Amino acid sequence: MFPTTASAPRPQGEFAGHTWFTLNASILVALLAASAALTPLYTRYQADWHLSALMVTVVFSAYALALLAALPVTGSLSDYLGRRPVLIAALLAEAAAMAWFAAADGVPELIAAPIVQGLATGAATSSA
């Protein structure tokens, strides 16, 4: 007969490795897509609120700076706490950033929302 290899039974509730990869990849793609989706809105904010080109650059760069700041910190944090808690926190922070963008009525919100979004995307990138 053919030799068979016995494998240990998988505990209940545990996903296969490819399922975790798919979940992590989809979270990362969703957060990166959300950050890119807001870029066309900056020109609308500029026109509606009479923002200078420098102010739009500040708003746009807030995301990138927060992302770069989050990468080294949240990478170590996900090693300490685990990937799941960090990814869940990143998703919650991303939802908060989207709500902040939707309710924005001035420049302070336009600077704060990309900072939160950059921190969330950096956390998801480093832990996924």
Side-chain angles (χ1 to χ4, degrees):
M1 287 288 181
F2 297 104
T4 60
T5 57
S7 62
R10 188 182 313 272
Q12 289 286 338
E14 187 175 321
F15 289 124
H18 69 280
T19 304
W20 282 121
F21 175 79
T22 304
L23 181 62
N24 286 339
S26 64
I27 289 171
L28 187 58
V29 167
L31 292 182
L32 292 173
S35 66
L38 294 171
T39 302
L41 288 177
Y42 292 140
T43 56
R44 181 168 179 137
Y45 288 137
Q46 183 179 19
D48 290 350
W49 297 341
H50 308 291
L51 301 176
S52 68
L54 177 63
M55 188 53 62
V56 174
T57 302
V58 168
V59 170
F60 192 77
S61 64
Y63 167 80
L65 293 174
L67 176 87
L68 290 174
L71 286 172
V73 174
T74 56
S76 300
L77 188 64
S78 72
D79 290 341
Y80 181 72
L81 295 176
R83 289 183 180 170
R84 273 188 227 169
V86 174
L87 285 173
I88 290 170
L91 287 172
L92 292 173
E94 182 69 25
M98 292 292 113
W100 215 338
F101 268 117
D105 61 355
V107 174
E109 290 89 0
L110 281 183
I111 293 173
I115 290 172
V116 173
Q117 186 181 34
L119 293 173
T121 306
T125 302
S126 64
S127 64

